[in-house]
Amino acid sequence: MFFPLCHSLVKKRKRPVEAVAQGQVEVKFKEVTLYLVERKMGSSRRNFLTSLARSKGFRVEDVLSDDVTHVVAEDNQAEVLWAWLMGHGLRDVSRVAVLDISWFTDSMREGRPVREELVPPPVGVDASVTPNPNCSPPTAVANVSQYACQRRTTTENHNKIFTDVMEELAESSEFNESKGPCLAFRQAASVLKSLPSAVHCLEAIQGLPCLGEHTKAVMEEILTFGRSFKVEEIRCDERYQALKLFTSVFGVGPKTAEKWYRRGLRSLQEILTEPNIQLNRMQRAGFLYYSDISKAVSKAEAKALGCIIEETVHWIAPDAILALTGGFRRGKEYGHDVDFLLTMPEMGKEEGLLLHVIDRLKDQGILLYCEYQGSTFDVSKLPSCRFEDMDCFQKCFLILRLEQGQVEGERGLQRDPGDSRGWRAVRVDLVAPPVDCYAFALLGWTGSRQFGRDLRTFAQKERQMLLDNHALYDKTKKLCLLATTEEEIFAHLGLEYVEPWQRNA
């Protein structure tokens, strides 16, 4: 792993003791001004080589500037060296000769500059383009809240270069069961997503919440080199690759993935051919339809599925209340699956509704897989002091067959090139809470993961309330607060209402 060069080159600007000799030796090669990169070389060796070069009549600068014509490095990867050089705001990087230490030793032996064998910039790096050294903070960030529920975050992310890295680091931490770092990286990504413009320097994020020293170090690395070496190291890690692959299968969680990895399995094919592994129904369906359900679902496909579910539900119960939730309600163009919330206007009428929907989908010949879970909701057990990832309402996890002709738009179904089928399998979740819990379930099933977490934390820490998908409990009044809409829940919490498409933190 490489550490940022800027730490060793920018911060360590102590004048070498040998530098006093510069004025006592005649400069023979005035067209050449050297700069020796300390990283890998070390300060002692750099001082010695600086003194040696000056004794031979070379001009050597202690600080990288526009006067430097030759940069000499030892055992540095070209891409790292050039990324560091490009980040120093020189007027014209293309005029600088970037050289290996072998050129320097040959020149010292000959007593003159020898023929240059340049270290070229990596593919994709334009040395004629100099980064803008000016840095101005994004506007309107002075009052950024630590809570996502008090921030507005649309799908337009100006800091994707950072947030993608933060989310990968969070995922890696989750695989390692490191809850603290996982939460820290997710919170940092959430804050960066909410900013109205891109961050170009660390000074621009001073005072922002949820950005710790580790997060800032990652951002500094990206700002300096255009990438995160830590994430690149993680991506090459065998365990991370295996767990990411295994958990991409419907029905496989981190614990199962870890168990398979410890058994020496590294591919999906190895799992399928391992005689001692017994897959459950959900996992078998996950493998059977893996090619389809591992692909993203488009907004057009979600809309088509919405028409199917709406027609099916209203054929059974014309007065049923139905809502598309999840990322598509927040305005996202793509998602992993499609979630719907449905209930009845009269309490208790929602019981058995999902079973009728499942039967109807089966009759239509489009139900490929179904996992039904009955309700375990017990109002007498409210409030719950512990949030569970999955609420207690009746729900079903489905895989439906979506036909090409049902999807509007030019692109139609998301399929692999050469796939001649006229349909694809898509994951659909249906949840049916009682009507008095509908607003709380809608709120919980709509916001992003971090938005929901921060909303619950805000309720508890700032309002002494307990919030989940079932209810909002006021601990000071010792009662559950009624709400028929999301707006009423925000009002109970004393929060300004945040629209669904602004909950993408």
Side-chain angles (χ1 to χ4, degrees), residues 241-267:
Q241 291 176 344
L243 265 59
K244 189 172 179 66
L245 175 64
F246 296 163
T247 54
S248 70
V249 177
F250 175 51
V252 178
K255 289 187 189 282
T256 299
E258 178 71 35
K259 183 171 65 175
W260 290 347
Y261 174 78
R262 290 185 178 180
R263 294 180 68 165
L265 304 173
R266 299 294 181 266
S267 70

Side-chain angles (χ1 to χ4, degrees), residues 181-237:
C182 177
L183 178 57
F185 285 125
R186 291 198 193 282
Q187 287 176 324
S190 174
V191 169
L192 293 170
K193 285 178 183 179
S194 72
L195 299 183
S197 59
V199 172
H200 295 293
C201 65
L202 288 184
E203 289 76 9
I205 61 172
Q206 294 305 313
L208 289 178
C210 307
L211 301 180
E213 291 306 312
H214 195 175
T215 297
K216 289 178 181 177
V218 172
M219 293 181 68
E220 183 179 22
E221 191 174 52
I222 296 170
L223 288 167
T224 304
F225 304 114
R227 59 210 280 199
S228 167
F229 297 107
K230 176 62 176 175
V231 162
E232 291 185 357
E233 181 183 325
I234 288 172
R235 288 172 184 165
C236 295
D237 180 70

Side-chain angles (χ1 to χ4, degrees), residues 69 122 144 152 233 241 254 358 364 390 406 434 449 475-476:
T69 60
V144 174
R152 281 162 170 71
E233 181 183 325
Q241 291 176 344
I358 292 168
Q364 294 174 20
M390 195 58 69
Q406 295 171 311
R449 183 175 178 179
K475 292 194 287 185
T476 59

Side-chain angles (χ1 to χ4, degrees), residues 60-101:
V60 184
E61 291 290 326
D62 299 326
V63 177
L64 183 62
S65 68
D66 288 312
D67 294 331
V68 172
T69 60
H70 292 63
V71 171
V72 178
E74 186 171 26
D75 295 333
N76 282 267
Q77 289 184 348
E79 55 188 2
V80 176
L81 186 61
W82 271 96
W84 166 79
L85 189 61
M86 295 284 287
H88 268 70
L90 300 179
R91 285 197 300 268
D92 186 3
V93 181
S94 62
R95 60 175 285 278
V96 179
V98 181
L99 301 156
D100 183 70
I101 192 66

